[in-house]
Amino acid sequence: MADLTEPRLKLSRAEQHLDALNQAITCFIEAKPYTFALEPEPTPTKYALMAKINHRPPLDWGLLIGDFAHNCRSALDVLVYQLSALPKGDPRKRKLSFPICDMRTRSSVSGQRGYTDLVNTVLAGVTSDHSKIIEGFQPYHRSSGVGSDLLALLRELNDSDKHRIIQTVGSVGRATSTRLGGPRLGSNVGMGPGAFIRLEHGASVDFGGGFSYVSVGNGEITDDDTKVAELTIGSSTHATTQPNVQIEITFRKGGAGVEGRPVMQTLTSILDRVRQVVAEFE
């Protein structure tokens, strides 16, 4: 049985980085990175409800992501080192690592090496039973495609952080609805103290008396001064607007495979997959 102490220590460290990132994201969202303002349009009585970005995710989150990926990747490599029966001092031990391959054999088009081209080197001294388990986790087995494989995403994050660029992330806000309140919404609707009407995004409503509300776009907010809605406000209208926004932190730059994916969900899934791999050798 392999000693799994060191792979688990690496995974514990990866989890600490993930917890730190999650805490930072929570604080970022609680700081209300978006505010909204009604701005007059050129046409009288017409207004635009505009989203303002107060805060953007800090660049140093990419360092946490890189450290997370390094520890997850190291856990797999350390696992192979523990599995190998090569004797101490054998120079082949330097090349031991956990293979993450997109194909089983070398590509005749790109020349990229496959699993069978590496196995005798990177898994030297590993039993056939253990090698079979490792082979079963290779990305080329995924019916949904290599691009969605969690170990392939881990490899991309780790390689990008080491050799190319620090991962950057962005916040994507989505206006899901707007609360309209006030003593008088047009001529058709009167409101009691504290009462409001909730309009789901996509709504188009005419309240009469020269007051109307029309959603704009799909609700997604990625840039400053994104128009969320258009309002017509008559002289007798006394309305307040309060958009409800769901905020998601996504990958932006650093790897094509992860770009656009939700950060916490992706990293948590990667950690779970690496844990699954290590657990196979208990």
Side-chain angles (χ1 to χ4, degrees):
M1 180 182 299
D3 183 358
L4 302 180
T5 301
E6 292 184 13
R8 285 177 174 151
L9 281 173
K10 287 287 188 178
L11 287 177
S12 177
R13 186 61 173 167
E15 185 174 11
Q16 292 175 29
H17 289 306
L18 191 59
D19 288 344
L21 180 61
N22 187 47
Q23 183 176 356
I25 289 174
T26 299
C27 292
F28 173 82
I29 292 175
E30 289 177 349
K32 301 186 183 305
Y34 298 97
T35 55
F36 296 85
L38 279 175
E39 297 184 357
E41 298 273 44
T43 305
T45 75
K46 298 286 187 181
Y47 292 82
L49 183 59
M50 308 294 290
K52 306 289 185 179
I53 299 178
N54 303 321
H55 311 289
R56 296 184 185 273
L59 291 175
D60 62 6
W61 285 4
L63 302 179
L64 287 173
I65 294 171
D67 290 345
F68 165 88
H70 166 75
N71 280 277
C72 283
R73 189 69 179 90
S74 295
L76 296 175
D77 290 339
V78 171
L79 171 66
V80 168
Y81 194 89
Q82 296 295 335
L83 292 174
S84 176
L86 291 178
K88 184 178 181 180
D90 192 315
R92 291 177 294 172
K93 292 176 80 84
R94 288 187 172 186
K95 297 183 178 180
L96 292 175
S97 65
F98 189 102
I100 301 177
C101 301
D102 295 343
M103 57 196 71
R104 180 173 176 77
T105 59
R106 184 187 297 269
S107 170
S108 60
V109 178
S110 66
Q112 180 181 349
R113 292 186 297 174
Y115 177 82
T116 57
D117 305 298
L118 298 172
V119 62
N120 291 331
T121 302
V122 300
L123 296 183
V126 176
T127 67
S128 59
D129 286 344
H130 287 163
S131 295
K132 186 176 181 179
I133 294 173
I134 292 173
E135 197 272 339
F137 281 102
Q138 296 306 303
Y140 55 78
H141 284 298
R142 304 287 85 79
S143 59
S144 56
V146 169
S148 63
D149 181 79
L150 294 168
L151 294 187
L153 294 179
L154 169 60
R155 179 192 61 203
E156 180 172 349
L157 285 173
N158 188 48
D159 288 350
S160 176
D161 182 75
K162 288 192 302 182
H163 305 300
R164 294 191 292 275
I165 191 171
I166 294 175
Q167 296 290 331
T168 59
V169 302
S171 62
V172 177
R174 186 174 296 279
T176 58
S177 62
T178 299
R179 292 159 55 117
L180 296 178
R184 174 65 60 182
L185 300 183
S187 59
N188 298 331
V189 182
M191 305 289 288
F196 64 89
I197 292 176
R198 175 170 174 158
L199 298 177
E200 298 299 321
H201 194 80
S204 177
V205 182
D206 187 345
F207 290 95
F211 180 51
S212 64
Y213 175 97
V214 180
S215 295
V216 174
N218 62 1
E220 188 172 285
I221 305 165
T222 57
D223 298 307
D224 208 11
D225 290 326
T226 298
K227 184 185 292 188
V228 175
E230 295 176 342
L231 290 83
T232 302
I233 302 178
S235 58
S236 63
T237 303
H238 303 284
T240 60
T241 58
Q242 182 182 348
N244 298 306
V245 179
Q246 292 179 346
I247 300 173
E248 187 174 65
I249 306 300
T250 62
F251 286 101
R252 285 292 178 85
K253 184 174 64 174
V258 296
E259 189 171 338
R261 292 177 181 267
V263 170
M264 285 304 301
Q265 179 182 332
T266 301
L267 298 184
T268 300
S269 297
I270 287 174
L271 181 60
D272 289 344
R273 177 54 58 84
V274 178
R275 282 176 174 153
Q276 181 186 2
V277 173
V278 173
E280 287 290 322
F281 299 93
E282 291 180 342

